[in-house]
Amino acid sequence: MILSTLRTAIPYKRYWLLSAVLIGILHPVILPQLMDVELLPGALIPDAALMGYNPSEVLAWYEALGESGRRMYVYVALFDVICIIPSYLVLLSCQLLSSPQCPETLAYVPSAMAIFDLLETGTHIYYAVYYPAQMPTTRTLVVVSCATQFKYLVLGLSLLLVAYYAVMD
């Protein structure tokens, strides 16, 4: 059922591509205007930390943001969940499905990236709302950091698959 729904979106993939490009351009331009504190150099938010982060960095970031900064982060993260994740999921899956050479099961690879992204973003939304009353544990932050790294690993794999099957066609 999911694959058949995605197949109906294939003719519209240029619109998904346009939305992904716009998000990719606007996100780095707008995000620095919204967030005052960086998690790591070059990574304003946990989503952008390609190599992950350690728990003490995240706790210091939550503290440095303050209540209004954490509230702003929640809005940014909700934008990620509502717009960015569905865009890249549909775009990459449609790209894979549009290739006659690509096995249908590979169209699910971008879903793993979305799951890791949702795990990470959802956890940070929760703790941004309830911090400091509810502090994330070290174990939770390590798992979420690993989810961030796996998200980028699966993104790389998805892009390699898209490129491979584009060349094969």
Side-chain angles (χ1 to χ4, degrees):
M1 182 171 140
I2 293 171
L3 288 179
S4 63
T5 303
L6 284 173
R7 284 192 192 287
T8 62
I10 289 174
Y12 304 103
K13 69 181 174 185
R14 70 175 150 254
Y15 300 114
W16 288 102
L17 179 60
L18 177 64
S19 69
V21 168
L22 286 174
I23 289 169
I25 292 170
L26 293 177
H27 203 265
V29 172
I30 293 173
L31 193 59
Q33 308 302 318
L34 300 175
M35 303 299 295
D36 296 337
V37 181
E38 285 186 322
L39 172 64
L40 299 168
L44 285 169
I45 59 174
D47 265 17
L50 291 164
M51 298 302 182
Y53 36 82
N54 68 47
S56 61
E57 292 168 335
V58 174
L59 293 175
W61 180 69
Y62 282 154
E63 195 63 40
L65 281 176
E67 188 175 332
S68 64
R70 287 189 301 274
R71 187 176 26 251
M72 182 57 67
Y73 169 73
V74 169
Y75 295 133
V76 169
L78 287 173
F79 177 76
D80 185 21
V81 169
I82 294 168
C83 296
I84 296 174
I85 294 173
S87 290
Y88 72 64
L89 176 61
V90 170
L91 176 66
L92 291 171
S93 296
C94 285
Q95 284 296 128
L96 290 170
L97 282 173
S98 66
S99 171
Q101 308 268 338
C102 182
E104 285 187 349
T105 54
L106 288 181
Y108 288 112
V109 171
S111 300
M113 181 175 52
I115 290 167
F116 289 129
D117 202 356
L118 287 169
L119 172 68
E120 175 213 12
T121 306
T123 303
H124 285 297
I125 288 172
Y126 177 82
Y127 285 114
V129 169
Y130 292 107
Y131 184 89
Q134 192 156 29
M135 301 279 283
T137 64
T138 301
R139 182 175 295 152
T140 300
L141 293 175
V142 167
V143 167
V144 172
S145 176
C146 289
T148 302
Q149 294 172 51
F150 284 130
K151 171 184 72 175
Y152 284 110
L153 182 69
V154 176
L155 171 62
L157 176 63
S158 297
L159 292 175
L160 282 173
L161 287 170
V162 167
Y164 175 76
Y165 286 109
V167 169
M168 294 299 291
D169 284 344

